[in-house]
Amino acid sequence: MSRICELTGKGRMVGHNVSHANNKTKRVFLPNLQNVTLMSEKLDRSFKLRVSTAGLRSVEHVGGLDNWLLKTSEDKLSARAAKIKRELHKAAA
């Protein structure tokens, strides 16, 4: 599994470890990914997603998974999250 958040698209970043002598060695900053189950009120289903903790806070701030998916563009979402978003649009119609 790749280390990318399924909702926000946040992935790994590359940087340097810098010693006291200013020696620089490459390192990787990984996102804090958690396996969570999020509930959709409109679909009355739960979905297991791999989400960063920052993405989870954003979902809670907006008011739930449904509101988050409807306001986010599909190019930022993973394939699974985009599929859930399409199901939401079908249920609303």
Side-chain angles (χ1 to χ4, degrees), residues 17-82:
N17 278 334
V18 181
S19 69
H20 186 68
N22 207 26
N23 298 330
K24 295 173 185 73
T25 57
K26 286 281 193 177
R27 64 157 295 177
V28 176
F29 296 93
L30 297 175
N32 186 6
L33 295 178
Q34 305 293 322
N35 293 317
V36 295
T37 303
L38 296 172
M39 185 72 183
S40 171
E41 291 89 18
K42 292 180 183 175
L43 298 177
D44 199 30
R45 282 179 50 196
S46 59
F47 298 96
K48 283 189 167 187
L49 297 170
R50 197 162 190 217
V51 183
S52 65
T53 53
L56 195 56
R57 282 196 311 270
S58 298
V59 168
E60 292 299 320
H61 178 76
V62 171
L65 180 64
D66 297 339
N67 292 337
W68 170 263
L69 289 173
L70 292 175
K71 81 170 197 70
T72 307
S73 62
E74 277 202 38
D75 58 332
K76 289 186 179 181
L77 299 173
S78 69
R80 290 177 58 204

